[in-house]
Amino acid sequence: WGLSDRVFNNDVSRAAFIGASDALAVWALIGAQFGLNERERQDIATDFWAGDALNGDWIAAIPSLKPRYKLGILSNGWRDMRKRDKSRFDMSIFDAVVYSCEEGLRKPTLEIYRRALRRLGVSDPGRALFIDDFAENVVAAREAGLQAVQYVPGMPLPVNGG
């Protein structure tokens, strides 16, 4: 197992994604698995998230889409995700932001896609485009009636204007 598998594929992490646990508990578990002290746990967590880069071209193009589209974020995340995102980019450009940890359910559960659509005020899911890097989330979005594209690093923004 790689570190990513250890971080995300355990009961504590799954609970954190729906708000029933938190990052401290996840990293405590990882620390126990590897026999790490507190400082080493903090270092491994910092190093782990350092590789979580945003697509700069997409982030730069998103504001140009705002006049023509409703924009939203639907993310599986732990309780600190909103704070992390606010520190990484301007959240005010989004019409709705839905985090799994605040909803008590996560992708690929169909209901979370429906909640995101309701928050955006979109009644016809076929008029929504969902982009995600995980195939199972793209499949679920399609099952919920959305148009969906799997993100591949380097791909252009799949709408006009970006």
Side-chain angles (χ1 to χ4, degrees), residues 11-12 27 37 39 42 46 48 53-54 60 62 65 67 74 84 97 100 102 105 108 114 116 118 126 131 151 158 160:
D11 290 340
V12 178
W27 291 109
N37 64 37
R39 176 69 182 169
Q42 290 174 1
T46 299
F48 181 81
L54 297 169
I62 286 173
L65 302 175
L74 171 56
R84 277 187 26 163
V97 179
S100 63
E102 297 170 356
L105 64 154
R114 294 181 187 118
R118 281 194 299 272
I131 303 166
Y151 172 76
N160 295 331

Side-chain angles (χ1 to χ4, degrees), residues 5-19 21-22 25-26 29 77-78 106:
D5 285 330
R6 294 231 182 186
V7 170
F8 295 125
N9 293 324
N10 63 71
D11 290 340
V12 178
S13 182
R14 283 187 281 279
F17 278 122
I18 59 169
S21 188
D22 61 19
V26 173
L29 174 67
W78 301 340
R106 64 182 284 195

Side-chain angles (χ1 to χ4, degrees), residues 117-137:
L117 290 169
R118 281 194 299 272
R119 302 252 173 82
L120 286 167
V122 175
S123 58
D124 178 0
R127 294 187 46 84
L129 173 63
F130 175 80
I131 303 166
D132 199 284
D133 50 348
F134 292 102
E136 64 269 20
N137 297 337

Side-chain angles (χ1 to χ4, degrees), residues 14-115:
R14 283 187 281 279
F17 278 122
I18 59 169
S21 188
D22 61 19
L24 289 175
V26 173
W27 291 109
L29 174 67
I30 299 304
Q33 289 176 348
F34 289 102
L36 305 176
N37 64 37
E38 177 63 24
R39 176 69 182 169
E40 291 167 329
R41 277 198 315 264
Q42 290 174 1
D43 288 347
I44 200 169
T46 299
D47 290 347
F48 181 81
W49 293 119
D52 191 22
L54 297 169
N55 181 309
D57 291 340
W58 281 36
I59 295 299
I62 286 173
S64 71
L65 302 175
K66 181 76 171 156
R68 296 185 312 259
Y69 302 102
K70 292 182 180 181
L71 303 174
I73 292 175
L74 171 56
S75 183
N76 286 342
W78 301 340
R79 289 183 196 154
D80 62 346
M81 186 67 141
R82 187 177 293 273
K83 181 180 175 184
R84 277 187 26 163
D85 282 352
K86 283 181 179 179
S87 73
R88 296 174 354 150
F89 54 90
D90 180 9
M91 299 283 287
S92 69
I93 62 173
F94 297 99
D95 300 292
V97 179
V98 178
Y99 292 110
S100 63
C101 60
E102 297 170 356
E103 298 299 317
L105 64 154
R106 64 182 284 195
K107 299 178 289 183
T109 306
L110 296 182
E111 176 57 24
I112 200 163
Y113 300 93
R114 294 181 187 118
R115 289 182 188 184

